[in-house]
Amino acid sequence: EAQVTQNPRYLITVTGKKLTVTCSQNMNHEYMSWYRQDPGLGLRQIYYSMNVEVTDKGDVPEGYKVSRKEKRNFPLILESPSPNQTSLYFCASSSHYEQYFGPGTRLTVT
Amino acid sequence: GIQVEQSPPDLILQEGANSTLRCNFSDSVNNLQWFHQNPWGQLINLFYIPSGTKQNGRLSATTVATERYSLLYISSSQTTDSGVYFCAACSNDYKLSFGAGTTVTVRA
């Protein structure tokens, strides 16, 4: 089944404790990206990647890192999470413009 | 990026009713998608429709690219149709700009 998977789906952590949210797709898509969704602000792009080893900032990259060492994986790294990064995070992938979203990761930073 | 506006912001329907959701976008697009966000927060792909008309069961969508709008039709609504419907578009890149969404509540 073609899909985008994210792990974990839910995470509660404390300020400053490094964490990684994994994203994987099995559709051989070149393009992958991360979004966050916040009440009143909608969905905003954090980072995107056009291909392996090619990443770039989206609209709200501060406090996040990404890497693209393999085509199928695009992890989101929070080196020192803060409470303002509490949000619902989505990973997406695409080959020819149509985008497919993962199930979301609900992150709470206390 | 593209500006995307959705209307109405909220919609309350009686089960069995039909409805139309509208999405206006500010520029020409190579991607226009409709999503349904369910109560668990998952974004479900409904349509990829940069132009033309598509139908999937009780849902259908039409995009008039030259006039920069898209419509999502829900017919014979069911309580499981409740949730937030998002329109998203992009032009010359892959970055989707999302509308603010239409919150649909279907009452039994």
Side-chain angles (χ1 to χ4, degrees):
Chain A
E1 178 189 356
Q3 60 183 353
V4 179
T5 58
Q6 295 178 226
N7 282 291
R9 295 289 312 282
Y10 302 91
L11 179 61
I12 301 174
T13 189
V14 296
T15 298
K17 185 177 181 181
K18 181 179 178 180
L19 67 92
T20 299
V21 183
T22 65
C23 172
S24 182
Q25 51 94 4
N26 63 2
M27 296 170 278
N28 202 36
H29 286 168
E30 293 180 345
Y31 178 84
M32 298 184 73
S33 64
W34 278 100
Y35 293 82
R36 61 178 288 174
Q37 184 180 22
D38 302 290
L41 296 175
L43 284 99
R44 295 174 293 168
Q45 191 183 60
I46 304 170
Y47 267 97
Y48 65 94
S49 169
M50 297 298 291
N51 213 326
V52 174
E53 302 293 0
V54 180
T55 63
D56 208 345
K57 297 176 181 178
D59 295 324
V60 287
E62 294 79 20
Y64 304 95
K65 287 176 58 177
V66 292
S67 69
R68 188 92 182 272
K69 293 182 169 51
E70 304 167 283
K71 198 172 189 179
R72 63 183 292 126
N73 296 322
F74 190 44
L76 180 69
I77 303 157
L78 285 72
E79 295 266 0
S80 183
S82 63
N84 64 13
Q85 293 178 299
T86 292
S87 187
L88 178 58
Y89 291 87
F90 290 99
C91 178
S93 74
S94 173
S95 61
H96 295 98
Y97 299 119
E98 182 177 9
Q99 298 203 20
Y100 298 85
F101 282 75
T105 295
R106 200 171 290 276
L107 172 66
T108 301
V109 183
T110 61
Chain B
I2 289 183
Q3 306 302 309
V4 178
E5 294 182 353
Q6 292 185 241
S7 60
D10 299 281
L11 193 57
I12 298 175
L13 302 171
Q14 202 63 34
E15 199 169 30
N18 303 327
S19 64
T20 301
L21 283 60
R22 186 176 178 102
C23 170
N24 294 330
F25 44 93
S26 62
D27 205 345
S28 59
V29 298
N30 55 28
N31 181 5
L32 190 292
Q33 290 185 245
W34 284 97
F35 299 91
H36 176 216
Q37 188 164 38
N38 65 22
W40 296 270
Q42 294 177 322
L43 283 170
I44 311 299
N45 280 39
L46 296 177
F47 294 102
Y48 167 67
I49 187 165
S51 64
T53 297
K54 291 186 178 179
Q55 180 155 8
N56 184 1
R58 296 180 296 101
L59 300 181
S60 63
T62 295
T63 297
V64 182
T66 53
E67 297 187 25
R68 299 181 183 168
Y69 73 88
S70 183
L71 302 174
L72 178 69
Y73 305 98
I74 305 174
S75 64
S76 303
S77 57
Q78 300 177 358
T79 55
T80 52
D81 294 330
S82 295
V84 183
Y85 290 79
F86 288 102
C87 169
C90 62
S91 59
N92 295 322
D93 55 27
Y94 286 81
K95 186 176 81 171
L96 281 176
S97 294
F98 283 79
T102 293
T103 300
V104 173
T105 303
V106 181
R107 294 179 173 164

